[in-house]
Amino acid sequence: MFMEELSVLGWDNGFGQEKLYTVVNRRNYKEEPLLEDEITQGLTKEEKEQGIKKARFSSIHMLVSGTSAMSNSFANDYCYENMDIEYNGVEYFIGPYALDQDPNGGIRNYDPYKYRYETEIAKLGAGLALLFPDDGKIIINHLILGVSIRVYTKSVLKEVNDIYKNKTFKFTYPRMIKTGEIRKKELVVEINNVSLIPQGIGGVQDVLFDINGRLNEDNGIEDARYGVIDVGTNTVDGFIRRGVNNHIEGSEFGMTYGTSDVYKKVAGKLSMPNYYSQIENLHTQGKESIYYYGQERPFIEVLKNEFETFAKEIYARSGRDHWNRHLETLHRIILTGGSAYYVKDTLEKLFKPIPIVIPEDPQFSNARGYYKNGIFRLRSLLD
């Protein structure tokens, strides 16, 4: 049985997308060509050469009964398009598979305390199976995940520790053997330690540190006063900080709606209200229309208008309302989240002359920042 031991795993258990991020030191992995699944999830050749592994997929699930003789239950080799996993006696289709198989676009969990659900533990296992499909055991020495700043409390910290720290989880998923037959493969995941970080802080850590946990010399915020806006699927969180660790008291703001509401409005205006997840999935793939009732229905212009309105709502809550007395002292604003680029132009006009900074691949900013934070902590203990 192959085994993998990870020093740190960053897990952004998002409302829209699941993101997992870690780094391995195996030379053979770094020298391998990019695989199709890795390209689909946004891994670059340069990242692979650094040993980076990352998984990204829609945070959607579908319960599988498996009772029909024609069921897809454990029928296909496990991959990004066919994420089929069993946890604690329940089978799930995850991500693109759920989106494809469920006519309603699958089930999303919008509970801010979603980390406590077995569906989310199944998604963690599904992501690890994508990253390490041939391993039978994965030891995670330090798991770092995040929650909305609105629910980041001591009781939540304790609950996350109770659920994940020093715990073992077992998953089963289908793998094709040399004969072409599908067999059930077991994955055992051991988690030794866990930390919780407010969403958005992960984006700050992403800008501050490199993947070795060292301060980026050109991070631009180490001695600055800056705002952070994390644009999520179901929420928008924001706050102001100065330097590495100085939080500005009372600067936090939160919105209880996000990009999923934008896609829902677009779907409603196109008279297909149940297809907002499909529109979102197509848009993230660079598509501009959806096939519906025998024809391609363009959605891109309606979507651009809705994102412009959404950006104005973000500014109303942050710049005009909550941050008004702070704006003249901000050096920059860090904008994170998968939809950061869709709202940047409008926010730049509204916040002018304050520059808007978007980290590379902003959808991964929190997960990448969680990982960097964990490596920084590890280095601090060793120094």
Side-chain angles (χ1 to χ4, degrees):
M1 179 176 70
F2 295 107
M3 185 187 81
E4 192 75 38
E5 184 170 359
L6 306 178
S7 297
V8 179
L9 175 72
W11 176 31
D12 185 2
N13 178 214
F15 294 112
Q17 298 281 321
E18 298 290 329
K19 285 84 64 180
L20 284 74
Y21 188 98
T22 192
V23 177
V24 298
N25 292 317
R26 287 189 275 117
R27 181 177 177 181
N28 62 332
Y29 168 72
K30 297 179 182 181
E31 294 177 349
E32 290 173 356
L34 279 172
L35 304 177
E36 184 178 341
D37 272 5
E38 292 173 335
I39 295 171
T40 300
Q41 294 168 86
L43 189 72
T44 65
K45 184 175 183 294
E46 292 74 19
E47 287 176 322
K48 189 161 187 175
E49 289 172 349
Q50 297 178 74
I52 293 170
K53 277 184 169 283
K54 60 186 189 181
R56 168 170 42 198
F57 52 92
S58 296
S59 186
I60 297 172
H61 69 274
M62 172 186 171
L63 297 175
V64 185
S65 67
T67 56
S68 169
M70 297 181 67
S71 174
N72 285 317
S73 173
F74 282 81
N76 298 290
D77 191 28
Y78 191 89
C79 65
Y80 175 77
E81 295 291 341
N82 298 314
M83 298 173 69
D84 180 1
I85 198 161
E86 183 179 297
Y87 170 65
N88 206 15
V90 180
E91 185 181 357
Y92 305 92
F93 288 162
I94 303 289
Y97 209 13
L99 195 61
D100 179 65
Q101 292 291 316
D102 189 334
N104 293 317
I107 303 169
R108 291 182 186 266
N109 187 340
Y110 287 125
D111 191 328
Y113 305 96
K114 63 182 297 198
Y115 57 81
R116 61 174 60 143
Y117 290 79
E118 291 194 348
T119 56
E120 309 314 298
I121 297 174
K123 291 170 188 173
L124 173 62
L128 289 168
L130 271 184
L131 294 176
F132 306 100
D134 297 320
D135 290 327
K137 185 175 183 179
I138 298 174
I139 299 173
I140 303 171
N141 286 315
H142 204 152
L143 172 68
I144 303 185
L145 65 158
V147 294
S148 170
I149 197 169
R150 295 176 295 110
V151 300
Y152 184 72
T153 62
K154 291 181 179 179
S155 62
V156 167
L157 286 168
K158 181 180 182 304
E159 185 179 30
V160 168
N161 269 274
D162 290 343
I163 294 172
Y164 294 99
K165 186 176 181 179
N166 294 324
K167 294 295 192 298
T168 298
F169 304 96
K170 294 182 179 181
F171 309 92
T172 307
Y173 59 96
R175 287 293 281 165
M176 183 179 292
I177 61 175
K178 291 181 179 180
T179 62
E181 297 174 285
I182 300 294
R183 291 285 186 266
K184 289 188 176 183
K185 178 176 176 57
E186 184 178 74
L187 172 64
V188 177
V189 177
E190 293 182 3
I191 301 174
N192 294 328
N193 295 289
V194 62
S195 295
L196 191 68
I197 295 178
Q199 291 167 352
I201 294 290
V204 174
Q205 306 293 324
D206 185 30
V207 174
L208 279 172
F209 300 110
D210 63 20
I211 63 168
N212 298 309
R214 296 186 177 91
L215 277 172
N216 278 318
E217 293 182 1
D218 58 348
N219 62 69
I221 62 174
E222 187 176 355
D223 300 310
R225 191 180 183 96
Y226 53 93
V228 178
I229 300 176
D230 183 33
V231 183
T233 297
N234 200 45
T235 60
V236 178
D237 293 321
F239 47 86
I240 295 173
R241 290 171 74 84
R242 178 168 54 80
V244 177
N245 288 317
N246 196 331
H247 178 74
I248 303 303
E249 194 75 20
S251 66
E252 313 94 86
F253 78 90
M255 294 166 55
T256 56
Y257 54 95
T259 58
S260 66
D261 297 278
V262 174
Y263 290 107
K264 285 177 182 177
K265 288 180 180 179
V266 171
K269 289 186 175 181
L270 295 175
S271 301
M272 51 180 82
N274 294 327
Y275 282 76
Y276 66 93
S277 290
Q278 289 88 335
I279 291 174
E280 179 182 1
N281 186 55
L282 289 167
H283 184 224
T284 57
Q285 294 175 24
K287 308 290 179 58
E288 298 186 353
S289 63
I290 180 172
Y291 185 80
Y292 186 77
Y293 273 118
Q295 59 180 323
E296 288 290 333
R297 297 281 302 279
F299 56 72
I300 195 65
E301 291 304 320
V302 179
L303 190 58
K304 287 179 180 178
N305 291 335
E306 289 299 329
F307 266 118
E308 182 177 355
T309 300
F310 181 49
K312 291 177 180 177
E313 291 170 345
I314 294 172
Y315 177 74
R317 288 295 302 275
S318 55
R320 198 172 66 215
D321 181 8
H322 218 70
W323 289 357
N324 186 43
R325 60 191 177 89
H326 294 288
L327 289 181
E328 61 267 26
T329 64
L330 293 185
H331 291 84
R332 65 194 61 212
I333 293 171
I334 300 172
L335 188 62
T336 64
S339 296
Y341 285 111
Y342 306 145
V343 296
K344 181 188 179 186
D345 290 347
T346 301
L347 288 178
E348 274 188 328
K349 294 174 185 175
L350 295 169
F351 278 111
K352 192 177 180 179
I354 305 170
I356 302 287
V357 177
I358 298 181
E360 183 179 352
D361 197 356
Q363 193 171 65
F364 258 103
S365 192
N366 276 326
R368 195 167 49 228
Y370 298 160
Y371 173 83
K372 292 178 179 180
N373 176 272
I375 294 298
F376 171 74
R377 292 186 189 188
L378 187 61
R379 288 180 59 84
S380 298
L381 290 174
L382 296 175
D383 290 344

